[in-house]
Amino acid sequence: ASPEEILAWSKGEVKKAESLMINSHLVIQIVREDPNGWKDDYTYLTLKLHEAGITPEIRSSFQGNVGEIMTMEKQVEFIQNIFTELDSKILEGITTDNLVSLSGYSKKLQHSIVSPNGEINVQIAARVNQLNQSTMITIGNPVIIMEY
Protein backbone atom coordinates (compact mmCIF):
# COMPACT_ATOMS: atom_id res chain seq x y z
CA ALA A 1 0.00 0.00 0.00
CA SER A 2 1.16 3.49 -0.72
CA PRO A 3 1.58 6.06 2.06
CA GLU A 4 -1.47 7.89 0.68
CA GLU A 5 -3.60 4.70 0.87
CA ILE A 6 -2.51 4.03 4.45
CA LEU A 7 -3.28 7.62 5.47
CA ALA A 8 -6.71 7.47 3.80
CA TRP A 9 -7.45 4.18 5.58
CA SER A 10 -6.27 5.53 8.95
CA LYS A 11 -8.56 8.57 8.57
CA GLY A 12 -11.54 6.31 7.87
CA GLU A 13 -11.80 7.47 4.25
CA VAL A 14 -11.35 3.88 3.01
CA LYS A 15 -13.56 1.23 4.57
CA LYS A 16 -11.88 -1.89 3.18
CA ALA A 17 -8.37 -2.62 4.31
CA GLU A 18 -8.00 -6.00 2.57
CA SER A 19 -5.64 -4.59 -0.03
CA LEU A 20 -3.50 -2.73 2.47
CA MET A 21 -0.32 -4.38 3.68
CA ILE A 22 0.69 -2.79 6.95
CA ASN A 23 3.90 -3.78 8.69
CA SER A 24 3.98 -3.45 12.42
CA HIS A 25 6.64 -4.09 15.01
CA LEU A 26 6.25 -5.49 18.48
CA VAL A 27 9.05 -5.02 20.97
CA ILE A 28 9.20 -7.48 23.85
CA GLN A 29 11.91 -7.15 26.46
CA ILE A 30 12.74 -10.20 28.53
CA VAL A 31 14.95 -9.47 31.52
CA ARG A 32 16.62 -12.31 33.34
CA GLU A 33 19.49 -12.46 35.78
CA ASP A 34 20.39 -15.99 34.72
CA PRO A 35 21.69 -15.98 31.14
CA ASN A 36 20.70 -19.62 30.77
CA GLY A 37 17.15 -20.23 29.69
CA TRP A 38 16.93 -17.62 26.97
CA LYS A 39 16.37 -20.41 24.44
CA ASP A 40 13.33 -21.53 26.46
CA ASP A 41 12.06 -17.93 26.46
CA TYR A 42 12.58 -17.74 22.69
CA THR A 43 10.74 -21.04 22.11
CA TYR A 44 7.87 -20.03 24.40
CA LEU A 45 7.53 -16.61 22.75
CA THR A 46 7.55 -18.11 19.25
CA LEU A 47 4.93 -20.69 20.25
CA LYS A 48 2.61 -18.08 21.77
CA LEU A 49 2.92 -15.80 18.74
CA HIS A 50 2.11 -18.72 16.42
CA GLU A 51 -0.92 -19.54 18.59
CA ALA A 52 -2.06 -15.94 18.07
CA GLY A 53 -1.76 -16.37 14.31
CA ILE A 54 1.46 -14.37 14.05
CA THR A 55 4.46 -15.66 12.13
CA PRO A 56 7.27 -13.75 13.81
CA GLU A 57 10.56 -12.56 12.44
CA ILE A 58 12.40 -12.32 15.72
CA ARG A 59 15.36 -10.00 16.06
CA SER A 60 17.32 -10.11 19.27
CA SER A 61 19.63 -8.06 21.43
CA PHE A 62 21.48 -9.26 24.49
CA GLN A 63 23.02 -7.08 27.15
CA GLY A 64 25.26 -7.76 30.10
CA ASN A 65 27.95 -6.21 32.25
CA VAL A 66 31.61 -7.01 32.67
CA GLY A 67 32.52 -6.29 36.29
CA GLU A 68 35.27 -3.80 35.49
CA ILE A 69 35.83 -0.53 33.70
CA MET A 70 37.56 -1.50 30.46
CA THR A 71 39.84 0.83 28.55
CA MET A 72 38.81 1.61 24.98
CA GLU A 73 41.55 -0.71 23.74
CA LYS A 74 40.29 -3.55 25.94
CA GLN A 75 36.70 -2.92 24.77
CA VAL A 76 37.79 -3.21 21.14
CA GLU A 77 39.76 -6.39 21.90
CA PHE A 78 36.77 -7.86 23.77
CA ILE A 79 34.43 -7.12 20.84
CA GLN A 80 36.97 -8.46 18.32
CA ASN A 81 37.12 -11.72 20.28
CA ILE A 82 33.34 -12.10 19.99
CA PHE A 83 33.55 -11.45 16.24
CA THR A 84 36.26 -14.14 16.05
CA GLU A 85 34.02 -16.62 17.90
CA LEU A 86 31.26 -15.88 15.38
CA ASP A 87 33.66 -16.31 12.42
CA SER A 88 32.58 -12.85 11.36
CA LYS A 89 34.18 -9.95 9.58
CA ILE A 90 33.96 -6.40 10.95
CA LEU A 91 32.61 -4.13 8.21
CA GLU A 92 32.00 -0.84 9.97
CA GLY A 93 32.00 0.85 13.33
CA ILE A 94 32.09 3.96 15.39
CA THR A 95 34.03 4.97 18.47
CA THR A 96 33.49 7.96 20.71
CA ASP A 97 34.92 8.92 24.08
CA ASN A 98 32.61 6.46 25.83
CA LEU A 99 31.35 4.02 23.18
CA VAL A 100 32.70 1.38 20.83
CA SER A 101 30.21 -0.06 18.33
CA LEU A 102 31.26 -2.47 15.57
CA SER A 103 29.11 -4.20 12.96
CA GLY A 104 29.80 -7.09 10.64
CA TYR A 105 28.62 -10.28 9.01
CA SER A 106 28.69 -13.89 10.21
CA LYS A 107 27.58 -16.95 8.25
CA LYS A 108 26.53 -18.43 11.62
CA LEU A 109 23.69 -15.91 12.03
CA GLN A 110 20.45 -15.27 10.14
CA HIS A 111 18.59 -12.03 9.46
CA SER A 112 20.70 -9.34 7.88
CA ILE A 113 20.40 -5.80 6.64
CA VAL A 114 22.34 -4.06 3.90
CA SER A 115 24.56 -1.12 4.73
CA PRO A 116 26.76 0.93 2.41
CA ASN A 117 29.65 -1.34 3.49
CA GLY A 118 27.87 -4.63 2.80
CA GLU A 119 25.53 -7.09 4.47
CA ILE A 120 25.41 -6.85 8.28
CA ASN A 121 23.92 -9.30 10.76
CA VAL A 122 25.72 -8.59 14.01
CA GLN A 123 26.40 -5.39 15.94
CA ILE A 124 28.37 -5.34 19.18
CA ALA A 125 28.78 -2.31 21.42
CA ALA A 126 30.65 -1.58 24.63
CA ARG A 127 30.08 1.37 26.93
CA VAL A 128 31.54 2.14 30.35
CA ASN A 129 29.01 2.51 33.14
CA GLN A 130 30.75 4.70 35.73
CA LEU A 131 27.82 4.39 38.15
CA ASN A 132 28.16 0.58 38.35
CA GLN A 133 31.94 0.59 37.80
CA SER A 134 31.45 -1.84 34.91
CA THR A 135 31.42 -2.08 31.13
CA MET A 136 28.10 -2.82 29.44
CA ILE A 137 28.28 -5.12 26.40
CA THR A 138 25.34 -5.20 23.98
CA ILE A 139 25.01 -7.62 21.06
CA GLY A 140 22.30 -7.38 18.41
CA ASN A 141 21.22 -9.49 15.46
CA PRO A 142 21.10 -8.04 12.87
CA VAL A 143 21.63 -4.79 14.78
CA ILE A 144 21.09 -3.62 18.35
CA ILE A 145 17.40 -2.82 18.86
CA MET A 146 17.52 -1.59 22.44
CA GLU A 147 19.03 1.31 24.32
CA TYR A 148 22.73 0.94 24.86
Side-chain angles (χ1 to χ4, degrees):
S2 71
E4 293 81 14
E5 290 172 314
I6 293 172
L7 284 172
W9 174 76
S10 69
K11 292 177 183 176
E13 297 169 4
V14 176
K15 300 298 180 201
K16 292 186 177 183
E18 293 102 22
S19 64
L20 296 178
M21 175 64 137
I22 299 172
N23 291 321
S24 59
H25 302 272
L26 173 65
V27 177
I28 298 172
Q29 183 174 4
I30 300 171
V31 178
R32 60 171 42 250
E33 292 297 318
D34 176 14
N36 299 316
W38 68 268
K39 288 182 183 179
D40 293 336
D41 293 339
Y42 177 92
T43 302
Y44 178 79
L45 176 61
T46 302
L47 175 69
K48 289 301 178 185
L49 289 170
H50 279 289
E51 287 175 3
I54 300 169
T55 304
E57 287 186 30
I58 297 178
R59 308 295 189 253
S60 56
S61 292
F62 296 88
Q63 193 169 68
N65 286 300
V66 177
E68 66 177 273
I69 293 180
M70 299 172 134
T71 64
M72 293 298 275
E73 292 79 17
K74 193 165 181 180
Q75 291 176 43
V76 170
E77 181 183 341
F78 189 91
I79 292 172
Q80 285 176 321
N81 287 339
I82 297 171
F83 271 96
T84 299
E85 289 292 319
L86 292 172
D87 293 327
S88 56
K89 177 181 176 184
I90 297 171
L91 298 173
E92 60 189 36
I94 184 170
T95 58
T96 66
D97 290 341
N98 62 353
L99 171 74
V100 176
S101 177
L102 302 174
S103 301
Y105 183 81
S106 170
K107 291 180 182 177
K108 292 182 176 183
L109 300 173
Q110 299 177 353
H111 308 300
S112 62
I113 62 169
V114 178
S115 82
N117 295 315
E119 196 171 4
I120 290 176
N121 66 359
V122 62
Q123 179 184 12
I124 306 171
R127 177 186 298 271
V128 169
N129 183 335
Q130 293 289 348
L131 187 62
N132 294 340
Q133 294 292 294
S134 63
T135 304
M136 182 171 51
I137 306 296
T138 309
I139 303 172
N141 166 246
V143 292
I144 297 169
I145 55 172
M146 61 192 301
E147 184 178 338
Y148 66 101

